[in-house]
Amino acid sequence: MPEATMHWPALMSTRRFKLKDGCVVPARALAAGDSGAGLRTDFHVDHDRLVFSSAFRRLGRKTQVHPLAPNDHTHNRLTHSVEVASVGRSLGNRVGAMLAATSRLPAGVTPFDIGAVVQVACLAHDIGNPPFGHTGEDALRDWFRAPRNATWLAPLTAEERADIQTYEGNAHGLRTVASLELYVGEGGMRLTSAALGALVKYPWTSDTYPARGKFNVYRTELAMFEAVASELGLLRRGDTEWARHPLSYLMEAADDICYAILDLEDAVEIGMLDVTEFEEALGPLVEVEKAWPITDPRQRCSALRGSAVGKCVAEVADRCMAFERELLEGCFPARDLIEVCAPAVRDTVTGAKSLASQRIYRHRAKLVTEIAAYPCMGALLDILVPAAHALTTGRPLSTREQLHLALIDGRIDATDGPYLAYMKILDYVGALTDNAAAALAREVSGLGIH
């Protein structure tokens, strides 16, 4: 391989980092007792830290597709993340086995370690999503970009303004695991470098927005990710941009497979699609006639979905290995692994997304709740941001502004400065569940008074 390439031994690094006196330094390695007398690997510890975090639990009340859905069988962000993690683990195990079969797996690393890293990344891939999903993201961006709110951003640098004006669930996901949970402000969950690398799908900062679209690294986590990228040997593409960790492509594929197919299954569940339309969408991948004896629509969809997901996993893993060199050299020629899959897989996944876009994402019931997300998010920012601006720029706070800041438990300090204060507000608002955000917006508007 040429010199400009990544290597599996470094990409599977178990090193953890923490913040000490404002500097990023290696965290203490786990002793055998820290992992159940050796019964848990470092990657199992990552898994458990995620699963037991409050941020992960909150995903149970956050939108996947249908905000505030009344049907208990539709997916939320938590069930979606668990299912993506299951598919991701299968993908990683399969790729790990193929690496082992060709003697390219690093010493001391098993195929199941590859699967565990992808599983951890999948579990965390939506952990930074705000209330109301992607609409919530846009509502937060919309408020900070509105000309009427420009005065609050005047003290910020261009880079800080880009972060604040572009709430990005992916970047807030990294922020959540690297700053906000467990060791707060001192490295967060302190996940392994391999897991953090696989989680980061867009390893660059907000400087690239809107040209590059999504990004994964706020300025608040840049130093941490610099250390992680160096440890993993990620190829540098600029001052604040790196090539992706190869396993992040498996995490991305697992997410694509699940939401493409399972969004349609949810639509059948709540009556937006007929089961025959679900069958037609998966037709290129499954033998529909095998499901004919099953009369219950839910069980029928489940059988078809299971078969389709299995075929997608096999094909994506094969494509990952076929493009291993390009992935390691950071020159993968497509947007994602699904794009280079055989037509049956590629067309089924893209077709399912297209059908969902036409029939589900624009459904009136969904649109009404999404429209309401804008005034909901705006009502919270309207009271929090001006008060934070006053506190951090030295203007005396009114009694009302003091009450507003008390709402978020005094987490903002006068020494924070406007940028960090606004990031803390986005941390607070972004962490709310759909129900909590809606209820709080009603209450602070006065409509919640009895």
Side-chain angles (χ1 to χ4, degrees), residues 140-142 144-146 153 160-167:
L140 294 170
R141 297 171 187 169
D142 183 73
F144 277 106
R145 291 174 187 170
L153 302 180
E160 291 171 342
R161 193 175 297 114
D163 279 359
I164 297 300
Q165 290 186 315
T166 319
Y167 187 103

Side-chain angles (χ1 to χ4, degrees), residues 364-393:
R364 185 184 184 281
K366 186 173 187 304
L367 287 174
V368 168
T369 306
E370 289 184 342
I371 290 169
Y374 287 85
C376 176
M377 297 286 94
L380 301 180
L381 296 179
D382 280 343
I383 67 171
L384 294 174
V385 173
H389 180 272
L391 179 67
T392 56
T393 57

Side-chain angles (χ1 to χ4, degrees), residues 76 149 184 191 196 260 268 329 388 390 401:
N76 54 50
N149 296 318
V184 179
L191 302 180
L196 287 175
V268 174
E329 292 177 6
E401 287 171 332

Side-chain angles (χ1 to χ4, degrees), residues 101-124:
T102 51
S103 302
R104 297 207 296 285
L105 204 61
V109 174
T110 72
F112 303 111
D113 289 331
I114 302 288
V117 169
V118 180
Q119 180 183 30
V120 168
C122 290
L123 281 173

Side-chain angles (χ1 to χ4, degrees), residues 16-20 23-28 186-188 190 224:
R16 304 170 190 272
F17 289 94
K18 66 179 181 179
L19 284 176
K20 183 178 182 181
C23 298
V24 180
V25 298
R28 176 181 63 87
E186 298 180 356
R190 299 181 184 174
M224 177 67 74

